[in-house]
Amino acid sequence: MKLLSRAAVAAIVFALTHAAVAQVPGTVQLEDMTWTELRDNIHAGKTTIIIPIGGTEQSGPYVALGKHNVRVKTLSERIAEGLGNAIVAPVVAYVPEGSYAPPTSHMRFPGTITVPDVVFEATLESAANSFKIHGFKNIVFLGDHGGYQNDVRRVVAQLNKAWAGSGAHAFVPPEYYGTSSDGYAQILREHGVSDGEIGTHAGLSDTSLLLAVAPQMVRLDKLKSAPKPGAAEGVYGGDPRHSTVELGKLGTDAIVSRTIEAIRKESAGR
C-alpha cells in the first residue's frame, strides 16, 4: 500500500475541514446560525419563529432552577423540526415571579428571578417586532410557566392590532401550556397515577416532564431516598419521588404533537 505524503494528508485534512465549515448547520436554533444563514432560511420559507418563554425559579430541593428554560427550549426545537418551516428564538428566561419587597411565592427561595410585568411584556413585544422586520410572518409564543399566560395573551392582542394588514401575525397556541398542565394531568390519570401523586409545582407531573428532556437537572438519587417534600421545601402538591422518564415522555410527546397541530391550523394559508 502506498503511503500518502505529509503534503497530501494536509491537503485532505484542509479540504474536509473547509467543507465542514462551509456547510450550513442542520439546526433550527437561531442562536446557532449566522445572520446570512438565517436570512437564507427565511428566503427558503422558514417564516415561522417560535419565541420560547421559560422562567428562572425554585422547584424544590431536587429540581434545578432552569427547569422551565431547558424544557421549553427542548420542546420548541422538537416542535420546530416537526413543523419544518420554523426557527426557534433564544429563550426568555427573565419573567414575572412575584414581588421582592417583600418576597412572595417563589421569590422566598434563593435563585428565583423576577421582573415587572410591564418589563416582561415590553421585552416580548420588542422581540416580536424585531422578527417581523426580518421577514417572519408567524410569531409564535410558547410559555412554559402558568404565571404569565395572561401577559403573553395581552402582548399578542396588542401586536395583532398594530400589525393589522401587514401580513404578520402573532399567536399563543393554548395547546402548549394546556397540555403541559391539565392535559398532562389527565394523561397521567389514564395511566393509573392518582391526583394525590400528580401535584402541581415540582410535583410528579412537573418533575417527570423534566426527566424526559433533561434528566441531569433532577437530583434523582437524593429525591428517591428523601421523605416526601412539601410546601416548606417549595413542592406544591403531589409526590415527585414517583416521577419517571417514561411518565414524562407521555407528556412531552403530547405537548409536541398537539402544539404542532395547533400551529399548523392557526397559520394555514398564511
mmCIF file of all heavy atoms in Angstrom, residues 224-258:
data_model
loop_
_atom_site.group_PDB
_atom_site.id
_atom_site.type_symbol
_atom_site.label_atom_id
_atom_site.label_comp_id
_atom_site.label_asym_id
_atom_site.label_seq_id
_atom_site.Cartn_x
_atom_site.Cartn_y
_atom_site.Cartn_z
ATOM 1 N N LYS A 224 -35.295 10.102 45.456
ATOM 2 C CA LYS A 224 -35.877 8.787 45.720
ATOM 3 C C LYS A 224 -35.713 8.359 47.172
ATOM 4 O O LYS A 224 -36.538 7.616 47.715
ATOM 5 C CB LYS A 224 -35.235 7.742 44.796
ATOM 6 C CG LYS A 224 -35.510 7.945 43.312
ATOM 7 C CD LYS A 224 -36.968 7.751 42.963
ATOM 8 C CE LYS A 224 -37.195 7.812 41.458
ATOM 9 N NZ LYS A 224 -38.626 7.661 41.096
ATOM 10 N N SER A 225 -34.650 8.817 47.820
ATOM 11 C CA SER A 225 -34.398 8.408 49.204
ATOM 12 C C SER A 225 -34.867 9.434 50.233
ATOM 13 O O SER A 225 -34.682 9.241 51.433
ATOM 14 C CB SER A 225 -32.896 8.156 49.395
ATOM 15 O OG SER A 225 -32.149 9.337 49.151
ATOM 16 N N ALA A 226 -35.483 10.517 49.767
ATOM 17 C CA ALA A 226 -35.904 11.589 50.675
ATOM 18 C C ALA A 226 -37.313 11.361 51.201
ATOM 19 O O ALA A 226 -38.122 10.663 50.573
ATOM 20 C CB ALA A 226 -35.852 12.929 49.929
ATOM 21 N N PRO A 227 -37.638 11.958 52.326
ATOM 22 C CA PRO A 227 -39.043 11.971 52.751
ATOM 23 C C PRO A 227 -39.845 12.842 51.794
ATOM 24 O O PRO A 227 -39.282 13.683 51.092
ATOM 25 C CB PRO A 227 -38.986 12.581 54.153
ATOM 26 C CG PRO A 227 -37.711 13.352 54.181
ATOM 27 C CD PRO A 227 -36.748 12.635 53.282
ATOM 28 N N LYS A 228 -41.149 12.641 51.767
ATOM 29 C CA LYS A 228 -41.990 13.394 50.836
ATOM 30 C C LYS A 228 -41.836 14.890 51.099
ATOM 31 O O LYS A 228 -42.131 15.374 52.185
ATOM 32 C CB LYS A 228 -43.448 12.978 50.998
ATOM 33 C CG LYS A 228 -44.396 13.696 50.041
ATOM 34 C CD LYS A 228 -45.830 13.248 50.263
ATOM 35 C CE LYS A 228 -46.784 14.010 49.351
ATOM 36 N NZ LYS A 228 -48.195 13.604 49.568
ATOM 37 N N PRO A 229 -41.397 15.673 50.078
ATOM 38 C CA PRO A 229 -41.245 17.121 50.280
ATOM 39 C C PRO A 229 -42.589 17.831 50.188
ATOM 40 O O PRO A 229 -43.523 17.367 49.528
ATOM 41 C CB PRO A 229 -40.321 17.533 49.127
ATOM 42 C CG PRO A 229 -40.597 16.525 48.056
ATOM 43 C CD PRO A 229 -40.933 15.246 48.749
ATOM 44 N N GLY A 230 -42.675 18.978 50.848
ATOM 45 C CA GLY A 230 -43.914 19.738 50.844
ATOM 46 C C GLY A 230 -43.686 21.199 50.538
ATOM 47 O O GLY A 230 -42.638 21.602 50.022
ATOM 48 N N ALA A 231 -44.671 22.027 50.887
ATOM 49 C CA ALA A 231 -44.633 23.451 50.551
ATOM 50 C C ALA A 231 -43.449 24.168 51.187
ATOM 51 O O ALA A 231 -42.905 25.109 50.608
ATOM 52 C CB ALA A 231 -45.939 24.106 50.980
ATOM 53 N N ALA A 232 -43.034 23.740 52.364
ATOM 54 C CA ALA A 232 -41.902 24.382 53.029
ATOM 55 C C ALA A 232 -40.622 24.225 52.227
ATOM 56 O O ALA A 232 -39.720 25.061 52.302
ATOM 57 C CB ALA A 232 -41.709 23.799 54.427
ATOM 58 N N GLU A 233 -40.550 23.160 51.426
ATOM 59 C CA GLU A 233 -39.384 22.920 50.573
ATOM 60 C C GLU A 233 -39.599 23.427 49.145
ATOM 61 O O GLU A 233 -38.721 23.277 48.293
ATOM 62 C CB GLU A 233 -39.053 21.421 50.516
ATOM 63 C CG GLU A 233 -38.547 20.837 51.817
ATOM 64 C CD GLU A 233 -39.681 20.532 52.788
ATOM 65 O OE1 GLU A 233 -40.734 20.037 52.353
ATOM 66 O OE2 GLU A 233 -39.515 20.803 53.990
ATOM 67 N N GLY A 234 -40.774 23.995 48.878
ATOM 68 C CA GLY A 234 -41.047 24.529 47.547
ATOM 69 C C GLY A 234 -41.760 23.568 46.619
ATOM 70 O O GLY A 234 -41.835 23.819 45.414
ATOM 71 N N VAL A 235 -42.303 22.478 47.142
ATOM 72 C CA VAL A 235 -43.035 21.495 46.339
ATOM 73 C C VAL A 235 -44.514 21.618 46.691
ATOM 74 O O VAL A 235 -44.910 21.395 47.836
ATOM 75 C CB VAL A 235 -42.541 20.057 46.619
ATOM 76 C CG1 VAL A 235 -43.347 19.050 45.811
ATOM 77 C CG2 VAL A 235 -41.060 19.945 46.282
ATOM 78 N N TYR A 236 -45.329 21.955 45.691
ATOM 79 C CA TYR A 236 -46.741 22.224 45.951
ATOM 80 C C TYR A 236 -47.613 21.096 45.415
ATOM 81 O O TYR A 236 -48.015 21.076 44.260
ATOM 82 C CB TYR A 236 -47.144 23.559 45.316
ATOM 83 C CG TYR A 236 -46.295 24.735 45.781
ATOM 84 C CD1 TYR A 236 -45.997 25.780 44.924
ATOM 85 C CD2 TYR A 236 -45.781 24.775 47.080
ATOM 86 C CE1 TYR A 236 -45.212 26.844 45.355
ATOM 87 C CE2 TYR A 236 -44.999 25.823 47.518
ATOM 88 C CZ TYR A 236 -44.717 26.859 46.655
ATOM 89 O OH TYR A 236 -43.933 27.909 47.070
ATOM 90 N N GLY A 237 -47.894 20.153 46.253
ATOM 91 C CA GLY A 237 -48.775 19.043 45.898
ATOM 92 C C GLY A 237 -48.042 17.912 45.208
ATOM 93 O O GLY A 237 -46.992 18.090 44.600
ATOM 94 N N GLY A 238 -48.635 16.715 45.318
ATOM 95 C CA GLY A 238 -48.087 15.558 44.631
ATOM 96 C C GLY A 238 -46.899 14.944 45.345
ATOM 97 O O GLY A 238 -46.501 15.368 46.425
ATOM 98 N N ASP A 239 -46.346 13.912 44.710
ATOM 99 C CA ASP A 239 -45.190 13.215 45.275
ATOM 100 C C ASP A 239 -44.151 13.005 44.180
ATOM 101 O O ASP A 239 -44.232 12.048 43.402
ATOM 102 C CB ASP A 239 -45.615 11.876 45.864
ATOM 103 C CG ASP A 239 -44.523 11.244 46.708
ATOM 104 O OD1 ASP A 239 -43.360 11.681 46.593
ATOM 105 O OD2 ASP A 239 -44.823 10.307 47.473
ATOM 106 N N PRO A 240 -43.168 13.900 44.064
ATOM 107 C CA PRO A 240 -42.184 13.796 42.993
ATOM 108 C C PRO A 240 -41.297 12.561 43.085
ATOM 109 O O PRO A 240 -40.612 12.214 42.122
ATOM 110 C CB PRO A 240 -41.357 15.082 43.153
ATOM 111 C CG PRO A 240 -41.517 15.465 44.584
ATOM 112 C CD PRO A 240 -42.920 15.060 44.935
ATOM 113 N N ARG A 241 -41.310 11.882 44.215
ATOM 114 C CA ARG A 241 -40.465 10.687 44.377
ATOM 115 C C ARG A 241 -40.867 9.576 43.414
ATOM 116 O O ARG A 241 -40.064 8.676 43.139
ATOM 117 C CB ARG A 241 -40.546 10.186 45.821
ATOM 118 C CG ARG A 241 -39.997 11.175 46.857
ATOM 119 C CD ARG A 241 -40.186 10.657 48.260
ATOM 120 N NE ARG A 241 -41.595 10.430 48.560
ATOM 121 C CZ ARG A 241 -42.045 9.852 49.675
ATOM 122 N NH1 ARG A 241 -41.182 9.438 50.593
ATOM 123 N NH2 ARG A 241 -43.335 9.703 49.882
ATOM 124 N N HIS A 242 -42.082 9.626 42.894
ATOM 125 C CA HIS A 242 -42.557 8.588 41.976
ATOM 126 C C HIS A 242 -42.417 9.004 40.509
ATOM 127 O O HIS A 242 -42.969 8.355 39.617
ATOM 128 C CB HIS A 242 -44.019 8.249 42.281
ATOM 129 C CG HIS A 242 -44.237 7.743 43.674
ATOM 130 N ND1 HIS A 242 -45.456 7.783 44.310
ATOM 131 C CD2 HIS A 242 -43.365 7.192 44.562
ATOM 132 C CE1 HIS A 242 -45.338 7.272 45.526
ATOM 133 N NE2 HIS A 242 -44.075 6.912 45.702
ATOM 134 N N SER A 243 -41.700 10.069 40.255
ATOM 135 C CA SER A 243 -41.514 10.562 38.883
ATOM 136 C C SER A 243 -40.621 9.616 38.079
ATOM 137 O O SER A 243 -39.676 9.030 38.617
ATOM 138 C CB SER A 243 -40.864 11.954 38.909
ATOM 139 O OG SER A 243 -41.596 12.843 39.714
ATOM 140 N N THR A 244 -40.924 9.484 36.778
ATOM 141 C CA THR A 244 -40.106 8.639 35.902
ATOM 142 C C THR A 244 -39.974 9.277 34.524
ATOM 143 O O THR A 244 -40.807 10.097 34.115
ATOM 144 C CB THR A 244 -40.715 7.235 35.712
ATOM 145 O OG1 THR A 244 -41.944 7.346 34.970
ATOM 146 C CG2 THR A 244 -40.989 6.552 37.050
ATOM 147 N N VAL A 245 -38.938 8.874 33.812
ATOM 148 C CA VAL A 245 -38.744 9.325 32.425
ATOM 149 C C VAL A 245 -39.916 8.875 31.562
ATOM 150 O O VAL A 245 -40.413 9.635 30.713
ATOM 151 C CB VAL A 245 -37.424 8.761 31.863
ATOM 152 C CG1 VAL A 245 -37.312 9.057 30.372
ATOM 153 C CG2 VAL A 245 -36.232 9.342 32.615
ATOM 154 N N GLU A 246 -40.367 7.652 31.778
ATOM 155 C CA GLU A 246 -41.444 7.095 30.949
ATOM 156 C C GLU A 246 -42.730 7.894 31.090
ATOM 157 O O GLU A 246 -43.404 8.194 30.092
ATOM 158 C CB GLU A 246 -41.694 5.622 31.329
ATOM 159 C CG GLU A 246 -40.572 4.677 30.964
ATOM 160 C CD GLU A 246 -39.320 4.827 31.834
ATOM 161 O OE1 GLU A 246 -39.456 5.309 32.990
ATOM 162 O OE2 GLU A 246 -38.226 4.474 31.359
ATOM 163 N N LEU A 247 -43.072 8.273 32.320
ATOM 164 C CA LEU A 247 -44.258 9.100 32.517
ATOM 165 C C LEU A 247 -44.056 10.471 31.875
ATOM 166 O O LEU A 247 -44.979 11.040 31.286
ATOM 167 C CB LEU A 247 -44.540 9.267 34.016
ATOM 168 C CG LEU A 247 -45.079 8.039 34.759
ATOM 169 C CD1 LEU A 247 -45.174 8.326 36.254
ATOM 170 C CD2 LEU A 247 -46.437 7.614 34.208
ATOM 171 N N GLY A 248 -42.860 11.004 31.973
ATOM 172 C CA GLY A 248 -42.582 12.300 31.372
ATOM 173 C C GLY A 248 -42.739 12.297 29.872
ATOM 174 O O GLY A 248 -43.264 13.256 29.284
ATOM 175 N N LYS A 249 -42.305 11.219 29.227
ATOM 176 C CA LYS A 249 -42.392 11.143 27.763
ATOM 177 C C LYS A 249 -43.838 11.128 27.282
ATOM 178 O O LYS A 249 -44.136 11.622 26.189
ATOM 179 C CB LYS A 249 -41.644 9.908 27.252
ATOM 180 C CG LYS A 249 -40.127 10.060 27.310
ATOM 181 C CD LYS A 249 -39.419 8.833 26.756
ATOM 182 C CE LYS A 249 -37.906 9.037 26.752
ATOM 183 N NZ LYS A 249 -37.187 7.841 26.258
ATOM 184 N N LEU A 250 -44.737 10.582 28.088
ATOM 185 C CA LEU A 250 -46.159 10.638 27.727
ATOM 186 C C LEU A 250 -46.594 12.089 27.569
ATOM 187 O O LEU A 250 -47.349 12.442 26.658
ATOM 188 C CB LEU A 250 -47.002 9.959 28.808
ATOM 189 C CG LEU A 250 -46.837 8.460 29.003
ATOM 190 C CD1 LEU A 250 -47.628 7.998 30.224
ATOM 191 C CD2 LEU A 250 -47.285 7.695 27.761
ATOM 192 N N GLY A 251 -46.104 12.935 28.478
ATOM 193 C CA GLY A 251 -46.465 14.348 28.434
ATOM 194 C C GLY A 251 -45.759 15.106 27.341
ATOM 195 O O GLY A 251 -46.380 15.871 26.599
ATOM 196 N N THR A 252 -44.451 14.926 27.195
ATOM 197 C CA THR A 252 -43.706 15.691 26.194
ATOM 198 C C THR A 252 -44.158 15.348 24.778
ATOM 199 O O THR A 252 -44.276 16.240 23.929
ATOM 200 C CB THR A 252 -42.190 15.465 26.336
ATOM 201 O OG1 THR A 252 -41.901 14.063 26.263
ATOM 202 C CG2 THR A 252 -41.685 16.021 27.660
ATOM 203 N N ASP A 253 -44.434 14.084 24.532
ATOM 204 C CA ASP A 253 -44.912 13.707 23.193
ATOM 205 C C ASP A 253 -46.256 14.353 22.884
ATOM 206 O O ASP A 253 -46.502 14.809 21.760
ATOM 207 C CB ASP A 253 -45.041 12.178 23.085
ATOM 208 C CG ASP A 253 -43.693 11.473 23.019
ATOM 209 O OD1 ASP A 253 -42.664 12.164 22.839
ATOM 210 O OD2 ASP A 253 -43.663 10.239 23.172
ATOM 211 N N ALA A 254 -47.125 14.411 23.889
ATOM 212 C CA ALA A 254 -48.438 15.028 23.682
ATOM 213 C C ALA A 254 -48.311 16.534 23.483
ATOM 214 O O ALA A 254 -48.984 17.114 22.622
ATOM 215 C CB ALA A 254 -49.350 14.730 24.878
ATOM 216 N N ILE A 255 -47.454 17.173 24.261
ATOM 217 C CA ILE A 255 -47.245 18.614 24.113
ATOM 218 C C ILE A 255 -46.773 18.933 22.701
ATOM 219 O O ILE A 255 -47.286 19.846 22.038
ATOM 220 C CB ILE A 255 -46.213 19.124 25.141
ATOM 221 C CG1 ILE A 255 -46.769 19.014 26.557
ATOM 222 C CG2 ILE A 255 -45.827 20.579 24.841
ATOM 223 C CD1 ILE A 255 -45.720 19.202 27.642
ATOM 224 N N VAL A 256 -45.792 18.197 22.227
ATOM 225 C CA VAL A 256 -45.218 18.451 20.898
ATOM 226 C C VAL A 256 -46.247 18.230 19.799
ATOM 227 O O VAL A 256 -46.455 19.092 18.937
ATOM 228 C CB VAL A 256 -43.976 17.571 20.673
ATOM 229 C CG1 VAL A 256 -43.517 17.643 19.215
ATOM 230 C CG2 VAL A 256 -42.838 18.002 21.602
ATOM 231 N N SER A 257 -46.915 17.094 19.810
ATOM 232 C CA SER A 257 -47.841 16.773 18.722
ATOM 233 C C SER A 257 -49.039 17.717 18.697
ATOM 234 O O SER A 257 -49.451 18.187 17.624
ATOM 235 C CB SER A 257 -48.318 15.323 18.839
ATOM 236 O OG SER A 257 -49.022 15.100 20.051
ATOM 237 N N ARG A 258 -49.590 18.026 19.866
ATOM 238 C CA ARG A 258 -50.764 18.900 19.910
ATOM 239 C C ARG A 258 -50.406 20.345 19.539
ATOM 240 O O ARG A 258 -51.203 21.041 18.897
ATOM 241 C CB ARG A 258 -51.398 18.855 21.301
ATOM 242 C CG ARG A 258 -52.008 17.491 21.639
ATOM 243 C CD ARG A 258 -52.575 17.469 23.048
ATOM 244 N NE ARG A 258 -52.979 16.124 23.458
ATOM 245 C CZ ARG A 258 -53.499 15.810 24.636
ATOM 246 N NH1 ARG A 258 -53.704 16.771 25.535
ATOM 247 N NH2 ARG A 258 -53.827 14.562 24.929
#
